[in-house]
Amino acid sequence: MRKYIFVTGGVVSGLGKGITAASIGALLEARGLKIGLQKLDPYINVDPGTMSPFQHGEVYVTHDGAETDLDLGHYERFTNAEITRASNYTTGQIYHSVITKERRGDYLGRTVQVIPHITDEIKAGIASAEDEVDVLITEIGGTVGDIEGLPFVEAIRQFALEKGRENVMFVHLTLVPYIRASGEMKTKPTQHSVGRLREIGIQPDAILCRTEKSMEPGLREKISLFCNVPKDCVIEEKDVANSIYEVPVELHNQGFDALVCKRLGLETAPADVSAWNQLIERIIHPQHKVEIAVVGKYIVLHDAYKSVYESLSHAGFASSCDVTFRKINSEELTATNVASRLEGVHGLLVPGGFGERGFEGKVEAIQHARETGLPFLGICLGLQAAVTEFARNVCGVADANSTEFTEECTPVIDIMADQKGVSEKGGTMRLGAYPCKLTPKTMARQLYGVDNVEERHRHRWEVNNKYRGMMAEHGMVFSGMHEKLDLVEIIELPDHPYFIAGQFHPEFKSKPTRPQPLFHGLIEAALKRKDS
């Protein structure tokens, strides 16, 4: 019988439910189990694709082209679970499906209500992600008590009733704050949070306590007593010292994975966390250090480029290198200050984005990198900025630009014919994995080590093939192509120490133990520049 774990959160958002759910998955995989991961988001947007990165952080794109919550990035980085569009459901998707069925007449004239129709649809969404797994871990977004989240909490209560309580485990993540004025840690927020859960009919099986300090003596007993949870099921999840990748090991050291297996009747071998321990050792004791400039328009919010930063760190792990970031707002860069703002960095990364704001600053940064030999990696719009810069300053086309920003230009970047006139913004771009054929004897081919790869996309505009010949004549190499659609996927400059860009988002395929090749290449090139 398949087992289910539901992860809920209380008191405040942002406690790290995604990392916790991913860590549970990692520990169960370390015991030889096949796991699935899923997130249910209470917001009414159908997906985060049209939401501002400043509000929601990055949009994480799955292999099959779903625009999802950034927590799904944690799922893929921590585990080997297959993450698809069935791994993320929102209130918007659930209600859209129910209303579509109602309009179609599927409910045969019945009054459509939250219970049972909405909750049934949520349960169907949970079931759709089951696949062939031993344990499905489902994170409920938001916090217990949020009005928009109530149908989801009610749905998982019903789900446990239907599947059998012995097959379902409820894990509640809650805050145990430290009050500096009184020098005490407080359990009352946890008590209230669990109380809200119990009002709905859910008794948590384990409580994970997010803290900034080690829990004081007696706190476990107090939480156990007031929340009706055995003392050994109250687990401390203290802020880790060095990296989020310490969380699985910290939970394992407290016996949490053993507790989960006992609660769900899972008979497994002991968890082998040796790979995680080796990773942590590399993280804690790097032999080198480099600084990478990240030039983007959403730079004030770390989560806006979450996967980019993680991928740079992963590449650093593989090279025994501590990677620090110099975050630069591209709106602030000009021809007169770009050299000083980039002085001393060992590499440049220009990530993706939409809209004209900050684009010229990206172009200035890329020109500086091209002319000074600074290692450069461009992602999505970063590639388009690199093509624009090259056309202007090497090919002599002064008005080279993208038609995303202006029609009055030489359109070296243009929209595909099938994207013209698209009125609905959500879910209509080139999304998900597309094949890429690598050109022999290029840097891209050397980095990947294979002839064909697949990378994930999220964009509308493409390199205009009309100008490829012109740019090739001046030295740009188109080293990766989508052959069927004849679209540029990778560009590079062979006479530069490291100048490469992808139309895709390579950050979505990086793992802490298996860095994405383009990121690894950037860090290796940055190390060479530092040592030169």
Side-chain angles (χ1 to χ4, degrees):
M1 179 69 181
R2 184 175 292 113
K3 306 295 183 178
Y4 303 87
I5 299 173
F6 292 103
V7 180
T8 57
V11 187
V12 295
S13 59
L15 289 180
K17 292 193 303 299
I19 293 172
T20 298
S23 297
I24 296 170
L27 290 175
L28 295 182
E29 282 190 340
R31 286 176 167 264
L33 296 169
K34 185 176 181 182
I35 61 104
L37 280 151
Q38 179 186 55
K39 184 171 186 185
L40 306 180
D41 273 309
Y43 53 73
I44 297 176
N45 303 66
V46 171
D47 59 45
T50 58
M51 295 167 69
S52 167
F54 289 121
Q55 190 175 84
H56 188 267
E58 76 174 3
V59 175
Y60 189 83
V61 179
T62 62
H63 183 86
D64 60 353
E67 295 176 286
T68 70
D69 184 83
L70 63 81
D71 276 335
L72 275 73
H74 294 310
Y75 302 167
E76 286 206 318
R77 288 188 283 270
F78 276 70
T79 75
N80 297 307
E82 183 181 356
I83 303 300
T84 68
R85 61 179 63 252
S87 302
N88 195 198
Y89 282 94
T90 68
T91 292
Q93 287 174 270
I94 296 297
Y95 274 80
H96 183 272
S97 179
V98 169
I99 291 169
T100 298
K101 291 178 180 179
E102 186 274 330
R103 293 288 83 188
R104 200 166 55 213
D106 290 9
Y107 298 119
L108 301 176
R110 285 172 289 171
T111 300
V112 180
Q113 298 175 291
V114 172
I115 301 173
H117 301 99
I118 297 298
T119 51
D120 282 352
E121 196 70 24
I122 294 170
K123 289 183 289 183
I126 296 169
S128 72
E130 289 179 4
D131 198 18
E132 297 300 321
V133 299
D134 300 308
V135 183
L136 176 65
I137 303 163
T138 301
E139 173 193 352
I140 312 300
T143 59
V144 171
D146 294 344
I147 189 168
E148 62 266 32
L150 289 175
F152 290 93
V153 180
E154 168 62 19
I156 64 175
R157 182 197 68 78
Q158 295 176 19
F159 196 89
L161 190 66
E162 294 166 6
K163 294 293 183 179
R165 196 62 181 85
E166 70 278 7
N167 298 311
V168 175
M169 182 175 185
F170 292 113
V171 175
H172 190 56
L173 181 69
T174 184
L175 178 68
V176 178
Y178 174 70
I179 309 301
R180 295 189 181 277
S182 61
E184 295 179 293
M185 302 180 80
K186 294 295 185 180
T187 66
K188 191 63 71 177
T190 296
Q191 294 177 44
H192 282 300
S193 176
V194 173
R196 294 300 299 270
L197 263 183
R198 293 170 68 185
E199 286 175 10
I200 297 166
I202 292 177
Q203 170 61 53
D205 298 295
I207 297 175
L208 299 185
C209 302
R210 287 286 285 112
T211 68
E212 61 175 299
K213 295 166 59 75
S214 294
M215 289 173 64
E216 299 164 354
L219 281 186
R220 273 191 174 85
E221 289 83 353
K222 187 174 183 180
I223 292 172
S224 169
L225 177 64
F226 282 95
C227 297
N228 195 36
V229 173
K231 187 175 74 170
D232 63 349
C233 295
V234 179
I235 306 294
E236 177 183 285
E237 193 174 316
K238 191 177 75 167
D239 294 351
V240 289
N242 302 286
S243 168
I244 58 173
Y245 301 111
E246 295 178 71
V247 176
V249 174
E250 290 296 319
L251 291 178
H252 171 71
N253 290 341
Q254 295 183 71
F256 185 63
D257 52 305
L259 185 156
V260 170
C261 290
K262 180 180 178 181
R263 169 64 183 78
L264 292 174
L266 294 165
E267 296 183 4
T268 73
D272 179 5
V273 295
S274 57
W276 287 99
N277 283 322
Q278 292 167 13
L279 173 65
I280 293 167
E281 186 67 19
R282 291 200 301 273
I283 294 171
I284 295 175
H285 301 292
Q287 297 177 9
H288 313 283
K289 186 173 184 176
V290 295
E291 184 178 19
I292 303 296
V294 179
V295 175
K297 62 190 288 187
Y298 310 121
I299 215 74
V300 295
L301 180 65
H302 187 82
D303 279 354
Y305 299 120
K306 182 66 175 178
S307 291
V308 168
Y309 297 130
E310 290 300 310
S311 298
L312 287 169
S313 295
H314 299 166
F317 302 160
S319 299
S320 189
C321 181
D322 178 27
V323 181
T324 60
F325 314 122
R326 185 182 298 183
K327 302 177 182 180
I328 301 175
N329 188 337
S330 60
E331 292 182 83
E332 299 172 356
L333 285 184
T334 65
T336 56
N337 70 10
V338 65
S340 62
R341 294 295 300 273
L342 292 176
E343 184 178 1
V345 299
H346 308 110
L348 167 68
L349 188 146
V350 176
F354 294 91
E356 186 176 12
R357 182 171 57 83
F359 182 75
E360 293 301 324
K362 294 181 179 185
V363 170
E364 293 291 349
I366 293 168
Q367 180 179 357
H368 175 82
R370 180 180 56 79
E371 293 177 346
T372 63
L374 180 67
F376 161 73
L377 172 59
I379 295 174
C380 197
L381 187 62
L383 174 142
Q384 297 177 6
V387 168
T388 301
E389 189 279 324
F390 191 84
R392 290 178 185 175
N393 300 313
V394 178
C395 301
V397 183
D399 68 338
N401 212 326
S402 169
T403 55
E404 180 181 3
F405 312 135
T406 178
E407 295 291 334
E408 303 300 320
C409 68
T410 298
V412 292
I413 306 296
D414 202 2
I415 197 166
M416 290 181 66
D418 64 354
Q419 289 287 320
K420 291 182 178 178
V422 172
S423 57
E424 290 195 7
K425 301 297 184 185
T428 56
M429 292 179 278
R430 185 149 77 103
L431 290 166
Y434 284 80
C436 173
K437 175 76 172 178
L438 302 178
T439 305
K441 299 180 181 180
T442 59
M443 182 187 297
R445 175 62 180 79
Q446 180 182 354
L447 289 167
Y448 279 100
V450 294
D451 294 328
N452 297 280
V453 296
E454 280 192 340
E455 294 285 3
R456 302 179 195 178
H457 292 250
R458 184 174 180 256
H459 62 97
R460 296 184 195 279
W461 276 260
E462 308 278 356
V463 174
N464 191 335
N465 288 336
K466 293 179 182 178
Y467 302 96
R468 272 169 49 191
M470 174 191 71
M471 288 185 280
E473 289 176 4
H474 286 82
M476 179 170 282
V477 173
F478 300 93
S479 54
M481 296 292 298
H482 185 304
E483 290 189 305
K484 185 177 180 180
L485 299 177
D486 193 28
L487 295 175
V488 173
E489 296 283 12
I490 304 175
I491 64 159
E492 60 183 71
L493 298 181
D495 58 350
H496 190 282
Y498 192 85
F499 191 104
I500 194 165
Q503 183 57 76
F504 43 80
H505 287 267
E507 67 269 29
F508 295 148
K509 295 188 72 174
S510 183
K511 290 179 180 283
T513 54
R514 193 172 67 245
Q516 204 282 340
L518 300 186
F519 284 90
H520 195 202
L522 177 65
I523 297 305
E524 287 291 302
L527 280 169
K528 289 179 182 178
R529 181 178 178 87
K530 182 181 181 183
D531 296 337
S532 63

